Amino acid sequence: MPTGQIWARFSQRRPRKSFVKGAPHSKVRQYNMGTDKRFEIEVELVCEEGVQERDNAIEASRQAANKYLEKTLVDNYFFQVVSYPHGVVREHAALGVAGADRISKGMKLAFGKPKGRLARLRSGDAVFRARLLRKDLPVLKEALRRARCKLSGKF
């Protein structure tokens, strides 16, 4: 995974000073699910190695885990998305067909247009956090397994 600070600045007061203009919104719709109260245990899904996760992958895994928890535990849990997709994915839309060199601009202005968002995770960073009763731990393990299937990298 690349090191250093990501090059994505959004200025609220002076939008013309922004590095990225017209960045798309995050696809993650909800960050806190369930009932926010005291529970017996807290569990986190943690990265084993650095990875860049797309926002739509985080949202798909959130939906998979939350749907299973909601169906099984009703309101006896609290589930939270910890990582926020700050980074911007850019794409240089070059044509890949015969004769495209006359239409496309090649590597000139190849910085790309914003196409999506991503979260940069280092090893040890948490993606999800859940709180629940001790007796419901096997249910949470299954929910996190379903969420892990939708994410890339080692968790």
Side-chain angles (χ1 to χ4, degrees):
M1 185 176 100
T3 58
Q5 187 172 355
I6 196 159
W7 203 64
R9 173 184 151 171
F10 307 104
S11 178
Q12 296 295 323
R13 280 184 266 152
R14 299 192 311 196
R16 293 179 65 200
K17 295 284 185 182
S18 295
F19 293 149
V20 180
K21 292 165 180 64
H25 294 289
S26 171
K27 293 222 173 43
V28 180
R29 294 286 167 231
Q30 206 173 356
Y31 288 90
N32 299 320
M33 293 137 286
T35 309
D36 192 3
K37 61 179 185 179
R38 287 192 177 269
F39 286 102
E40 294 176 3
I41 58 173
E42 182 175 280
V43 179
E44 290 182 342
L45 183 65
V46 176
C47 279
E48 289 182 17
E49 61 184 24
V51 68
Q52 299 187 83
E53 264 332 312
R54 294 283 302 257
D55 59 344
N56 52 1
I58 295 172
E59 174 65 9
S61 60
R62 178 199 72 83
Q63 286 180 3
N66 188 47
K67 188 177 285 188
Y68 185 75
L69 290 171
E70 204 172 53
K71 202 184 316 177
T72 317
L73 302 179
V74 188
D75 268 340
N76 288 333
Y77 73 96
F78 178 68
F79 189 68
Q80 183 178 34
V81 179
V82 180
S83 61
Y84 184 84
H86 287 286
V88 177
V89 178
R90 298 179 188 94
E91 181 180 309
H92 175 60
L95 298 173
V97 294
D101 54 339
R102 292 185 292 276
I103 303 163
S104 174
K105 291 179 181 162
M107 287 304 293
K108 181 183 172 191
L109 303 173
F111 188 66
K113 292 194 168 107
K115 296 293 180 189
R117 292 224 174 199
L118 61 89
R120 294 178 82 182
L121 304 168
R122 294 186 177 94
S123 64
D125 285 355
V127 182
F128 299 117
R129 181 179 299 134
R131 295 195 304 254
L132 67 161
L133 300 172
R134 192 175 304 278
K135 67 178 178 66
D136 297 328
L137 187 60
V139 175
L140 178 66
K141 283 184 179 179
E142 174 60 21
L144 291 179
R145 185 197 67 78
R146 291 178 182 210
R148 206 175 57 221
C149 290
K150 308 234 180 244
L151 297 171
S152 60
K154 288 186 178 180
F155 289 93

